[in-house]
Amino acid sequence: NAGVMQNPRHLVRRRGQEARLRCSPMKGHSHVYWYRQLPEEGLKFMVYLQKENIIDESGMPKERFSAEFPKEGPSILRIQQVVRGDSAAYFCASSQGTGDTEAFFGQGTRLTVV
Amino acid sequence: AQSVSQHNHHVILSEAASLELGCNYSYGGTVNLFWYVQYPGQHLQLLLKYFSGDPLVKGIKGFEAEFIKSKFSFNLRKPSVQWSDTAEYFCAVITYSSASKIIFGSGTRLSIRP
């Protein structure tokens, strides 16, 4: 059973381009979380999704950021018109559900905006 | 809204010293509690978790944590640290409800002097 897979591991984008980050949850997991980690800061919650539904996006910036978790395929975090301040490590986690279950993390995608 | 506080931003210890990292959460209902560790350049890994039962939880690599409900605390301890414990440690909480996200503390960086 492969763990949570994120790709790419490293992504370089110029200001104004789009960044697409992908996350394939562990087999059997239907819940996905996205977190952003900035240098010297902790993990900031961005969005919580179940298949085809956004459950909680209270941590997502109102503009330029969007996330989806389609019925088939990976979860996608999309950042449009990237700016230097978007440079960070983006981690995805998956779990079987709520209650007595833990979340497993992917290796993260390090986004650098130049 | 629930939150997690980690009191120490950076802790520096010598090898063989004892460790205690503080974690407090704010939520009056039932919670599940976690400690994750992030070694340099790596993703988050679960150290230990508390769902119910014995409030003293044993984790991997000699770590343990104690859930004290009256104090809303879940402090991480290790009797004797090693240089390889150098990492960032994150406390996390998830409320026991149908649509909860995992909330992380800001993290504590642990540096061990050889």
Side-chain angles (χ1 to χ4, degrees):
Chain A
N1 186 5
V4 179
M5 304 300 292
Q6 287 188 252
N7 67 82
R9 291 291 307 280
H10 300 275
L11 181 61
V12 180
R13 284 287 177 267
R14 295 186 185 280
R15 279 178 294 172
Q17 291 185 318
E18 178 180 287
R20 278 181 178 248
L21 288 64
R22 285 176 289 277
C23 169
S24 296
M26 286 181 69
K27 188 177 180 181
H29 286 190
S30 59
H31 296 238
V32 165
Y33 308 82
W34 284 94
Y35 292 84
R36 177 165 61 178
Q37 186 176 35
L38 291 163
E40 305 300 318
E41 294 188 22
L43 287 157
K44 301 296 184 186
F45 168 78
M46 298 184 74
V47 62
Y48 167 34
L49 310 106
Q50 294 178 27
K51 284 283 187 183
E52 299 184 278
N53 286 309
I54 295 175
I55 305 302
D56 185 336
E57 57 182 347
S58 58
M60 288 271 275
K62 294 287 185 286
E63 297 176 352
R64 302 188 297 109
F65 285 72
S66 63
E68 62 177 11
F69 188 18
K71 188 177 180 181
E72 300 290 339
S75 174
I76 306 287
L77 179 67
R78 184 181 176 206
I79 311 172
Q80 295 177 292
Q81 299 172 338
V82 295
V83 301
R84 289 250 170 90
D86 296 332
S87 295
Y90 292 83
F91 288 94
C92 168
S94 74
S95 71
Q96 286 182 315
T98 54
D100 291 348
T101 182
E102 67 201 63
F104 294 83
F105 279 81
Q107 301 267 2
T109 294
R110 186 163 298 278
L111 172 66
T112 303
V113 179
V114 297
Chain B
Q2 58 265 34
S3 64
V4 179
S5 299
Q6 290 184 243
H7 316 298
N8 310 102
H9 182 64
H10 191 189
V11 172
I12 303 173
L13 295 172
S14 298
E15 276 195 311
S18 64
L19 169 72
E20 181 159 3
L21 302 182
C23 173
N24 286 89
Y25 65 94
S26 63
Y27 182 72
T30 303
V31 294
N32 293 336
L33 298 154
F34 308 87
W35 275 97
Y36 283 86
V37 60
Q38 185 180 30
Y39 296 104
Q42 296 188 26
H43 64 297
L44 276 80
Q45 302 170 46
L46 184 70
L47 263 183
L48 47 79
K49 61 190 177 188
Y50 172 79
F51 290 159
S52 62
D54 188 345
L56 185 61
V57 181
K58 303 284 186 186
I60 60 170
K61 304 186 180 184
F63 286 91
E64 66 178 31
E66 186 174 13
F67 171 51
I68 304 179
K69 190 174 182 180
S70 61
K71 294 185 178 180
F72 298 90
S73 70
F74 190 56
N75 292 355
L76 181 71
R77 299 195 293 250
K78 185 171 183 178
S80 176
V81 295
Q82 301 170 307
W83 180 79
S84 58
D85 293 325
T86 296
E88 187 130 20
Y89 293 80
F90 294 93
C91 181
V93 62
I94 186 168
T95 59
Y96 205 102
S97 67
S98 61
S100 289
K101 56 184 180 277
I102 305 169
I103 302 295
F104 283 85
S106 56
T108 297
R109 187 192 305 174
L110 176 64
S111 300
I112 305 297
R113 292 190 291 250

